[in-house]
């Protein structure tokens, strides 16, 4: 069998991975989707309680909709906002079902290389197919040969730690019983009991932190949540962009989320501690956690900690491939300057396709959230256009592959998920992703040491996490 007759292996059956498989089918190329979870959209299902910023009209891939049409599937109201669970059940699962045996679940990719060639060997390297090592849930192992590999495995399984240096804080691992790295579902009775009436630190400044603050404030105002209080830990200071664009945001869902977090602080349900980089977790006499900052500050004890400091890619199983990754973001070298939060706001990311996503190892592509490495923002529409371009390139249709067709709203969409349940919130004119309303006075309880400067928010601070 020639290499061209082999399937294209797609790693991950999330929204972008399934879209990649759909585009391959549309071009007459056999895909094989390998999903570590037990069902399609396994990562999305883990935040099923969280609502997206984007509408149904923005999270369904056009080629996928075409594939689904013969099954009788119809897209939900394109102006409504799905939750993660609705996205998985009403779109991702039907799409995986339509792809049939092209999708394998319970299949964890443990390594990718060139057949008979480790990363050192040059001889006839590009003539060799890719070899993908797979471990199944029942313990079986398999080697799969592929003509190309599209890694859409995302970053969900590798959250960043609480430590301000990017490494776990001292004591973070031993405090695992009181730390979560996910937005809690406070409607779940067991989870609700964990946070109700407790003092919880929320570390992070992005959409997930906003969501957690809003959820905890809602719990505090409920009959069974008396005494619930949050301590919001920010590595930088409060600025006009801290809470996003508010009512000036062209994406009303995102604006509502930022305003909900702001209200949590203003209404006394959360205290904000600024310029605090976590150095260590210690225990007090009652077993509660004391957060210690790099500057020596010690905060009052908390019962629980929610760490929402971003995500990072797992590159361990790609170690035998020759990847070209930016040394800061761990994103493809040509893509990194377009998405670097040190240089760009989320409204200035340019459309990109197979050329920006290519690597020295021809035929391998990182797409979707994984393509952004540690950059904190991503949009489903971006991923769908990435895989449309990549699959065209794999098919040899460079004219189509180079014709990047993505058009984003002026705001640029900063994140994937948020809290939005207010039906009457409408978009307004003007205001980019990081164009904030006039700064408002926020009541802060900040035990800052005298002379300690708050960290400046980077360009596009509303996109940071």
């Amino acid at each position: 069998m020639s290499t061209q007759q082999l399937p294209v292996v797609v790693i991950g059956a999330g929204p972008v991975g399934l879209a990649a498989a759909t585009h391959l089918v549309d071009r007459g190329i056999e895909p094989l989707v390998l999903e570590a979870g037990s069902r399609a959209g396994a990562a999305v299902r883990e935040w099923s309680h969280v609502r997206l910023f984007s509408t149904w009209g923005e999270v369904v891939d056009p080629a996928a909709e075409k594939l689904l049409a013969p099954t009788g599937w119809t897209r939900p109201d394109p102006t409504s906002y799905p939750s993660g669970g609705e996205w998985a059940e009403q779109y991702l699962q039907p799409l995986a079902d339509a792809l049939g045996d092209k999708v394998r679940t319970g299949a964890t990719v443990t390594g990718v290389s060139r057949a008979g060639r480790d990363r050192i060997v040059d001889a006839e390297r590009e003539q060799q197919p890719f070899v993908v090592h797979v471990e199944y849930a029942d313990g079986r192992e398999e080697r799969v040969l592929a003509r190309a590999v599209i890694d859409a495995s995302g970053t969900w399984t590798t959250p960043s730690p609480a430590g301000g240096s990017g490494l776990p804080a001292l004591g973070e691992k031993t405090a695992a019983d009181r730390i979560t790295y996910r937005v809690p579902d406070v409607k779940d009775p067991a989870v609700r009991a964990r946070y109700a009436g407790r003092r919880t630190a929320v570390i992070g400044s992005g959409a997930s932190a906003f969501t957690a603050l809003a959820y905890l404030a809602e719990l505090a105002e409920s009959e069974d949540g008396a005494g619930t209080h949050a301590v919001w830990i920010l590595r930088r200071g409060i600025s006009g962009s801290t809470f996003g664009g508010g009512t000036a945001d062209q994406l009303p869902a995102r604006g509502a989320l930022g305003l909900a977090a702001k209200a949590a602080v203003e209404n006394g349900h959360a205290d904000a501690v600024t310029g605090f980089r976590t150095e260590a977790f210690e225990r007090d006499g009652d077993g509660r956690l004391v957060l210690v900052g790099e500057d020596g500050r010690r905060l009052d004890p908390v019962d629980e900690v929610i760490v929402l400091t971003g995500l990072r890619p797992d590159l361990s199983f790609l170690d035998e491939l020759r990847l070209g990754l930016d040394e800061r973001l761990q994103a493809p070298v040509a893509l990194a300057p377009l998405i670097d939060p040190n240089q760009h706001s989320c409204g200035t990311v340019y459309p990109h396709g197979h050329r920006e996503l290519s690597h020295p190892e021809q035929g391998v592509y990182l797409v979707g959230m994984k393509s952004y490495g540690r950059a904190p923002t991503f949009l489903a529409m971006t991923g769908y256009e990435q895989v449309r371009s990549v699959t065209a390139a794999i098919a040899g249709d460079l004219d189509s592959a180079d014709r990047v067709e993505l058009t984003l709203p002026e705001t640029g969409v900063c994140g994937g998920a948020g809290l939005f349940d207010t039906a009457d919130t409408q978009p307004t004119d003007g205001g980019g992703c990081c164009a904030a309303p006039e700064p408002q006075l926020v009541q802060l309880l900040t035990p800052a040491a005298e002379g300690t400067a708050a960290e400046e928010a980077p360009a596009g601070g509303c996109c940071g996490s």
Side-chain angles (χ1 to χ4, degrees):
M1 178 183 291
S2 71
T3 299
Q4 293 300 101
Q5 294 175 300
L6 295 172
V8 172
V9 164
V10 179
I11 305 174
V16 178
L18 293 174
T22 302
H23 282 275
L24 289 167
V25 169
D26 196 44
R27 288 187 169 274
I29 299 173
E30 183 70 12
L32 175 59
V33 182
L34 300 173
E35 166 59 49
S38 61
R39 303 172 70 188
V44 174
R45 294 175 191 276
E46 291 195 27
W47 48 270
S48 61
H49 58 292
V50 179
R51 197 163 296 281
L52 278 71
F53 293 152
S54 304
T55 64
W56 271 112
E58 297 167 331
V59 297
V60 174
D61 179 75
E65 189 167 10
K66 177 183 172 183
L67 180 68
L68 284 166
T71 70
W73 183 88
T74 56
R75 183 172 61 182
D77 177 3
T79 65
S80 64
Y81 295 81
S83 66
E86 291 165 346
W87 198 19
E89 284 298 326
Q90 298 178 37
Y91 170 61
L92 299 180
Q93 192 60 55
L95 182 54
D97 292 342
L99 289 165
D101 60 7
K102 295 176 175 61
V103 178
R104 296 183 190 174
T105 56
T108 301
V109 173
T110 59
V112 183
S113 186
R114 290 279 189 177
R117 306 288 188 274
D118 62 23
R119 67 184 297 163
I120 299 174
V121 179
D122 291 334
E124 299 181 345
R125 184 177 190 86
E126 293 183 5
Q127 285 71 52
Q128 305 305 312
F130 290 96
V131 58
V132 181
H133 282 217
V134 188
E135 183 175 309
Y136 293 96
D138 61 5
R140 290 182 299 116
E141 292 182 288
E142 184 182 15
R143 279 184 4 136
V144 176
L145 297 179
R147 63 183 284 188
V149 175
I150 299 174
D151 183 357
S153 59
T155 55
W156 178 254
T157 60
T158 45
S160 296
S165 60
L167 301 173
L170 298 176
E172 184 168 347
K173 293 180 180 178
T174 57
D177 61 317
R178 292 179 179 261
I179 300 176
T180 183
Y181 299 85
R182 311 297 188 205
V183 175
D185 180 5
V186 295
K187 289 184 171 57
D188 179 291
V191 176
R192 193 176 187 86
R194 177 173 178 174
Y195 296 99
R198 304 293 182 86
R199 180 178 169 87
T200 299
V202 177
I203 305 177
S205 59
S208 295
F210 287 175
T211 306
L213 289 168
Y215 283 174
L216 290 173
E218 182 181 354
L219 177 59
E221 293 176 352
S222 67
E223 291 184 3
D224 61 340
T228 303
H229 196 78
V231 181
W232 186 18
I233 310 297
L234 297 104
R235 293 173 179 172
R236 55 178 182 250
I238 294 286
S239 70
S241 65
T242 297
F243 298 100
T247 57
D249 199 323
Q250 290 186 14
L251 293 166
R254 188 182 60 220
L257 175 61
L259 292 174
K262 188 169 185 285
V265 176
E266 291 181 332
N267 293 339
H269 299 309
D271 304 329
V273 179
T274 61
F276 189 93
R277 292 180 169 272
T278 307
E279 172 75 13
F281 290 95
E282 296 180 358
R283 302 261 188 178
D284 71 358
D286 297 324
R288 303 171 80 201
L289 295 181
V290 175
L291 277 65
V292 182
E294 291 180 352
D295 57 4
R297 279 184 284 167
R298 301 171 63 86
L299 304 185
D300 291 338
V302 296
D303 301 289
E304 300 286 343
V305 179
I306 303 171
V307 179
L308 300 167
T309 53
L311 303 164
R312 54 184 60 179
D314 177 9
L315 301 167
S316 60
F317 61 88
L318 304 176
D319 195 48
E320 291 303 318
L321 298 176
R322 297 175 178 182
L323 302 181
L325 298 174
D326 179 76
E327 66 274 10
R328 292 167 299 169
L329 296 184
Q330 295 178 297
V333 169
L335 176 60
L338 306 181
I339 62 174
D340 186 350
N342 293 296
Q343 304 295 329
H344 292 277
S345 74
C346 35
T348 61
V349 175
Y350 297 99
H352 54 276
H354 75 108
R355 295 195 184 276
E356 292 82 3
L357 297 169
S358 64
H359 294 274
E361 193 82 69
Q362 294 183 22
V364 62
Y365 301 93
L366 277 58
V367 299
M369 288 186 67
K370 191 161 187 176
S371 71
Y372 269 40
R374 296 197 186 194
T377 65
F378 195 74
L379 174 64
M381 287 191 295
T382 301
Y384 297 158
E385 180 59 14
Q386 286 181 342
V387 296
R388 186 206 61 78
S389 175
V390 164
T391 54
I394 292 172
D397 184 358
L398 293 184
D399 286 342
S400 177
D402 288 335
R403 190 173 60 249
V404 181
E405 300 166 346
L406 178 65
T407 302
L408 293 177
E410 282 186 21
T411 53
V413 180
C414 288
L419 173 71
F420 183 56
D421 293 308
T422 307
D424 59 354
T425 305
Q426 297 295 327
T428 59
D429 293 332
C433 164
C434 302
E438 289 297 316
Q440 301 293 314
L441 179 64
V442 178
Q443 184 65 42
L444 301 176
L445 298 180
T446 312
E450 185 177 354
T452 299
E455 182 184 5
E456 289 290 332
C462 68
C463 311
S465 60

